[in-house]
Amino acid sequence: MTTVLSVASECVPLVKTGGLADVVGALPRAMADLGSDMRTLLPGYPAVLAAVDRDTVVRDLGTRFGGPARLVQGKLGDQVLYVLDAPHLFDRPGSIYLGPDGKDWPDNPERFAALSQVAAEIGDAGVDGWMPQVLHLHDWQAGLTPVYLRERGAAERVATLLTIHNIAFQGLAPATRLGKLGLPEHGFTPDGFEYYGQISALKAGLIYADAISTVSRTYASELMTPEFGMGLDGVLRDRQSVLTGILNGIDLDVWTPPYDSPDGKAAVTRDLREVMGLPEADGPLFVVISRLTEQKGLDLLIDALPDLIEAGGQLALLGSGDPGMESAFRTAAARFDAVSVRIGYDEALAQQLIAGGDVILVPSRFEPCGLTQLYGLRYGTLPLVSMTGGLADTVIHASPAGLAADVATGFQFYPTTAQALRGALMQACTLWPDRKKWEGMMRNAMAHPVGWDQSARDYAALYESLKKNA
Ligand code: ADP
Ligand code: GLC
């Protein structure tokens, strides 16, 4: 049995801005099924503290970055949580990353340095007699942990795995904070955590962790190219021998279709059209559930929308993010009867859209894994995706060969341009009337494994291989 501390800034059902939270919330349960003891360390945001009993203080951490801090132990279902209770760092209203001005909280470097320091302390000394053998660090927010671990002289005892969920966020801080963050001068070099004159928490993790993973195999190779590496491709090429890709799974208990064959979908689609205020129609209903950011490529959909509607398709979108994109979709909804848009974040509506949609659109410019196309597979809501990252690895394109062999589960397009997207949308609309082929694809999609089984086994094997005190 391996003991693992998972260290992250988000976790469902407590706090979520994206798929990272789903993965962090689901992993411990998936690992428990394989006999691993995984516990999770989270920042003490109000929603996290509300879920644990604050009196269960397992360690007084003294003063951290200008205020008192304590480590609290709690439970989330069967999972053990450790929570860094430091109100001056985490007890804030609104977004966990952004201040009211929409910009990063100015003390983000300190907030997540505090989290990483505590992770290193638990790695070094354990907590209440529990010793992790592996620290599983997620994204830049946990990236400094291996540096602190080294400074404590504990890197020889406890192993570190850094998982990249999104390389677009790197946790940069000005060099002047080196001392304040408790980082060693000798690490501030191009082959350490210095990044063009700044401190990079993500680069620290990439350089000093024992192993690196990301959330699909294709994204693991893409990350080593200048197009996708966002300035860190060289570092990743240097560390290629310890870089792997392990796909995310989804929680099959949460994401369960209210039908078990393609026949059951039509009634759900009818309800969804009503909820979204869309007219009855014979054509396919395309759905989107997404952050509206550059990454997700939904500006391309705006361009392709008139053709989609012309071909008989409808669009129902749920999302929020970039104000320009929000207003472009609002405008489209006002212009076309066949388009319905909800700006906001709504878990229940997300499930309804997945269940009732015929096609889920994910035209991302890059996508480390992506979860919504996996929901789509499970619900027979055929994914129409760009051929990148986890989207490339999880969808089988309706090519002539794919259709002939009856293995296709969705539609892929390449390159990520409005023109190629338009082509795939037209392909879906053209195939739609062929009910035999379409329902065959739905059946293939619904049979595609999207749970955690294989990936949990892959993580278990990776943890096992990294253990230093076996
Ligand atoms: P990313 O983490 O890059 O945003 P993923 O596909 O991995 O992309 O995960 C996104 C998660 O957030 C999914 O669980 C998706 O259902 C959810 N989600 C995104 N936008 C919304 C929204 N507006 N309302 C409800 N859920 C959303
Ligand atoms: C990131 C990625 C997404 C991935 C998620 C969970 O937010 O953008 O592709 O599914 O992390 O790993």
Side-chain angles (χ1 to χ4, degrees):
M1 166 154 94
T2 313
T3 50
V4 185
L5 182 71
S6 170
V7 185
S9 57
E10 304 184 17
C11 177
V12 291
L14 306 176
V15 55
K16 163 164 166 174
T17 73
L20 167 66
D22 295 273
V23 173
V24 171
L27 253 189
R29 220 174 327 133
M31 298 316 302
D33 293 345
L34 297 178
S36 292
D37 178 7
M38 175 181 266
R39 305 182 178 192
T40 308
L41 172 66
L42 295 173
Y45 313 116
V48 174
L49 283 170
V52 299
D53 177 358
R54 294 181 87 148
D55 294 333
T56 335
V57 177
V58 280
R59 190 174 299 165
D60 185 342
L61 298 166
T63 299
R64 298 292 163 112
F65 300 111
R70 320 175 309 162
L71 188 65
V72 175
Q73 180 167 345
K75 278 209 134 184
L76 185 63
D78 291 338
Q79 300 173 27
V80 177
L81 288 188
Y82 296 111
V83 180
L84 171 55
D85 179 14
H88 63 297
L89 299 177
F90 301 117
D91 185 4
R92 298 176 188 180
S95 156
I96 53 175
Y97 304 126
L98 311 176
D101 57 359
K103 300 206 177 98
D104 285 352
W105 294 107
D107 61 348
N108 272 354
E110 287 78 14
R111 297 170 76 217
F112 295 105
L115 182 75
S116 303
Q117 279 180 347
V118 173
E121 285 170 41
I122 299 177
D124 181 12
V127 52
D128 243 4
W130 183 78
M131 280 295 291
Q133 294 163 306
V134 180
L135 302 181
H136 187 166
L137 313 169
H138 300 275
D139 275 348
W140 76 265
Q141 291 89 351
L144 291 174
T145 308
V147 179
Y148 295 130
L149 209 56
R150 283 178 166 231
E151 291 303 294
R152 303 178 71 88
E156 298 306 313
R157 290 197 301 280
V158 58
T160 47
L161 166 66
L162 179 81
T163 296
I164 304 168
H165 295 267
N166 200 329
I167 206 163
F169 304 103
Q170 303 187 350
L172 298 180
T176 47
R177 303 222 197 153
L178 206 59
K180 189 169 181 216
L181 295 174
L183 294 169
E185 291 268 352
H186 62 80
F188 192 67
T189 62
D191 55 6
F193 50 76
E194 186 256 8
Y195 184 73
Y196 296 103
Q198 293 194 283
I199 300 161
S200 165
L202 183 64
K203 188 178 171 204
L206 298 180
I207 297 273
Y208 296 112
D210 295 307
I212 304 168
S213 73
T214 187
V215 287
S216 67
R217 286 167 77 155
T218 293
Y219 192 60
S221 356
E222 286 173 345
L223 277 175
M224 290 185 279
T225 67
E227 189 186 349
F228 290 96
M230 302 216 181
L232 291 170
D233 45 292
V235 175
L236 286 156
R237 283 195 298 278
D238 286 349
R239 302 227 62 205
Q240 179 166 14
S241 61
V242 297
L243 171 65
T244 53
I246 300 178
L247 269 185
N248 292 330
I250 61 170
D251 188 334
L252 301 181
D253 294 334
V254 175
W255 296 93
T256 302
Y259 42 82
D260 52 19
S261 83
D263 307 337
K265 193 190 254 293
V268 185
T269 308
R270 211 172 305 123
D271 291 351
L272 176 62
R273 281 200 166 97
E274 207 171 304
V275 168
M276 296 299 288
L278 287 167
E280 277 298 312
D282 293 331
L285 175 55
F286 293 77
V287 297
V288 172
I289 299 130
S290 187
R291 294 187 288 121
L292 301 178
T293 63
E294 165 88 11
Q295 173 189 346
K296 300 295 179 180
L298 290 160
D299 46 310
L300 307 176
L301 178 59
I302 304 255
D303 290 353
L305 209 45
D307 293 311
L308 172 68
I309 294 160
E310 178 71 31
Q314 291 180 325
L315 173 71
L317 174 141
L318 168 65
S320 63
D322 177 68
M325 237 183 278
E326 288 183 356
S327 88
F329 277 108
R330 280 205 178 97
T331 306
R335 183 168 158 214
F336 300 110
D337 286 345
V339 176
S340 172
V341 168
R342 293 277 188 286
I343 299 300
Y345 186 90
D346 185 337
E347 301 257 348
L349 183 59
Q351 292 214 6
Q352 262 185 305
L353 285 163
I354 292 285
D358 295 305
V359 179
I360 173 139
L361 298 177
V362 196
S364 307
R365 293 195 165 83
F366 69 95
E367 196 60 77
C369 177
L371 297 179
T372 60
Q373 86 281 10
L374 301 180
Y375 306 152
L377 289 171
R378 177 140 167 92
Y379 284 68
T381 307
L382 304 184
L384 189 157
V385 303
S386 49
M387 207 164 62
T388 188
L391 303 173
D393 293 358
T394 54
V395 177
I396 302 171
H397 178 53
S399 63
L403 288 170
D406 195 17
V407 293
T409 58
F411 307 91
Q412 288 178 324
F413 65 94
Y414 181 86
T416 309
T417 58
Q419 196 188 348
L421 169 60
R422 201 175 284 124
L425 294 170
M426 291 311 110
Q427 190 197 354
C429 290
T430 308
L431 192 72
W432 171 253
D434 187 338
R435 299 314 299 158
K436 190 159 171 279
K437 280 213 180 94
W438 192 279
E439 285 175 13
M441 284 178 71
M442 287 175 77
R443 262 185 284 273
N444 295 339
M446 291 171 83
H448 188 96
V450 288
W452 273 101
D453 293 1
Q454 182 56 48
S455 302
R457 280 199 292 276
D458 292 347
Y459 276 120
L462 184 53
Y463 299 148
E464 190 62 35
S465 74
L466 291 172
K467 273 192 328 199
K468 295 181 176 174
N469 53 350

